[in-house]
Amino acid sequence: MRSKFHSGITGAIFYSGANFLCAFSLQFKVDPVEFGGYAFALILVQFGLSLSNATLGSPLVVAISENPQNRAEIYASFFKICLIMIAVLLPIFVLSLWAAGLAQSVIVWGVFYASILWLRWYLRAIFLADFKSQQCAMMDIIYGVICAFGTLVLIWWGKVTVQTALAVMGVAALLSVLQAAKVLWIYLRHGMRAKMSLWRASFVRHGKWALLGVSTAEITANAHAYCLTLFLGPAAYAPVASLALFFRPTPILIQTVTQYERPRLAQLFVAGEHGQWRRFAFKIDSSLAGAAALNGLGVAGLILFAPQWIGGGAYDALFLWPLAALLGVTQITRALRTGASAALQASGEFRALATRTLIAAPLSLGASITALIWYPNPLIGVLIAVLWGEAILCVIILRCAYFTNRKGHR
């Protein structure tokens, strides 16, 4: 879309490619229970990133667009909250992994990886709010190169385990953060003395609704992961996790586009260019939906010609086809609402967005639990429930963005 978008895509390719290589090699070396546990840990890490985005990232963009003269003070205030948030999330993360039955050593390396990645996410948010997209992309590239190199060393060494995979990912995240050591040092020095009131003002106006919206959207999107892992065990989630590995380019792209383009959408809305705001959001929706469709075709080709690559050959093609079809349609549906959702966040419509997601979340979660109990094939039933929730969420978010655009024109 523009040079900063292209740099974001480049960074995302390195980042997601390295994660793919790590997970792909892991599925051949561990049993389904271990791989399902690893995938569940990454879902929880991603949830932490989403919470960070809601509590810090989205309100930060709005706060900076409204008060650019207080940029440094706002960054320091939000950084203080970032550290507090990490300290609150880590015990929840540990308890969730313990409840899923993961080994203590996996939990330890998971904590290391999660804490660094959550800190790294806020530093990326600062760079993007300052429109320093190339510096942000460089963090992703450094992570990708180090993670891929570390994974290749593990493969050569014959030491590919869940623990070593998380260790390599954590070290890569840490070294990519050190690339921004100067910025990190500034906010470590001044963050603890920063006034929380700057963050609190933004959170009261926007963040609490963004947090509610992200939490309910997460339930809608990943109800299958929580239900299958916590009720049936990590092995039940393993085939979905193996397929989701090959669908991973779509959520990485969705996440990258949202974070990179939200500041631009905020600029358009504040400037009163509501027609461009709407067209740009639609361009994001259509582009991501097309990318998700191509991703789905790629997975279909893989099942057709090389099903042994999925899950280390543990599942046959007939078993994988319905799972892949449901996951693929769900990804396209999610992509179709991404631009509208980012546009609503950028325009400060967090309350409107949250109240819409609050409708879809209980429907998706309730349908998922019902499918676990009553549907003949719980795995298929849960995926149908998640698709249903995503379809409802897509319709109501697109409708909300349409009426927000009309209100802006008036």
Side-chain angles (χ1 to χ4, degrees), residues 365-385:
L365 183 59
S368 297
I369 294 174
T370 302
L372 281 175
I373 299 172
W374 298 107
Y375 200 79
N377 186 333
L379 190 57
I380 296 294
V382 168
L383 291 180
I384 292 173

Side-chain angles (χ1 to χ4, degrees), residues 91-293:
I92 300 172
F93 179 73
V94 169
L95 287 174
S96 299
L97 295 184
W98 175 79
L102 272 68
Q104 184 177 353
S105 56
V106 173
I107 295 175
V108 170
W109 284 112
V111 166
F112 170 65
Y113 173 60
S115 57
I116 300 299
L117 204 67
W118 291 337
L119 175 63
R120 177 182 177 276
W121 194 251
Y122 178 64
L123 293 177
R124 292 176 84 257
I126 292 176
F127 289 142
L128 291 174
D130 277 341
F131 295 96
K132 296 178 180 178
S133 56
Q134 291 185 348
Q135 197 164 357
C136 185
M138 185 56 63
M139 290 181 70
D140 290 342
I141 292 171
I142 290 173
Y143 171 90
V145 170
I146 295 172
C147 183
F149 176 76
T151 301
L152 292 174
V153 170
L154 291 179
I155 295 171
W156 174 78
W157 195 20
K159 298 291 185 179
V160 179
T161 65
V162 174
Q163 291 89 334
T164 57
L166 289 172
V168 164
M169 294 165 73
V171 169
L174 177 62
L175 294 178
S176 72
V177 166
L178 294 180
Q179 180 264 342
K182 183 177 180 181
V183 174
L184 180 63
W185 175 243
I186 289 172
Y187 293 114
L188 279 174
R189 287 176 56 198
H190 301 292
M192 290 300 100
R193 298 195 300 270
K195 296 178 180 178
M196 291 179 62
S197 58
L198 292 173
W199 168 82
R200 191 182 299 115
S202 180
F203 183 77
V204 168
R205 288 182 57 201
H206 306 298
K208 61 182 181 181
W209 296 110
L211 185 60
L212 176 62
V214 162
S215 300
T216 49
E218 173 69 18
I219 292 172
T220 303
N222 287 315
H224 63 292
Y226 300 114
C227 288
L228 291 172
T229 304
L230 295 176
F231 288 100
L232 300 181
Y237 179 57
V240 178
S242 297
L243 270 172
L245 173 63
F246 295 93
F247 279 106
R248 187 62 180 155
T250 296
I252 289 289
L253 190 60
I254 287 173
Q255 191 176 65
T256 300
V257 170
T258 299
Q259 196 178 27
Y260 273 77
E261 302 301 347
R262 190 169 45 219
R264 172 61 177 161
L265 287 163
Q267 276 191 334
L268 290 172
F269 195 84
V270 170
E273 298 176 9
H274 299 108
Q276 280 189 277
W277 176 84
R278 176 184 56 80
R279 287 190 294 273
F280 192 48
F282 175 75
K283 187 176 182 181
I284 292 173
D285 287 333
S286 56
S287 299
L288 288 177

Side-chain angles (χ1 to χ4, degrees), residues 65-87:
S65 66
E66 293 177 347
N67 300 288
Q69 69 279 4
N70 293 328
R71 187 178 296 267
E73 292 84 356
I74 291 172
Y75 287 158
S77 178
F78 276 62
F79 184 77
K80 184 175 185 178
I81 299 302
C82 174
L83 297 179
I84 295 172
M85 186 175 172
I86 291 172

Side-chain angles (χ1 to χ4, degrees), residues 12-28 35 38 42 143 147-148 151 155 169 241-249 252 295 299 302 309-310:
I13 290 171
F14 275 84
Y15 179 85
S16 60
N19 284 339
F20 174 84
L21 177 63
C22 191
F24 182 73
S25 61
L26 187 65
Q27 69 171 349
F28 290 98
F35 188 76
Y38 165 80
L42 296 190
Y143 171 90
C147 183
T151 301
I155 295 171
M169 294 165 73
S242 297
L243 270 172
L245 173 63
F246 295 93
F247 279 106
R248 187 62 180 155
I252 289 289
N295 191 175
V299 174
L302 190 64
W309 283 16
I310 301 173

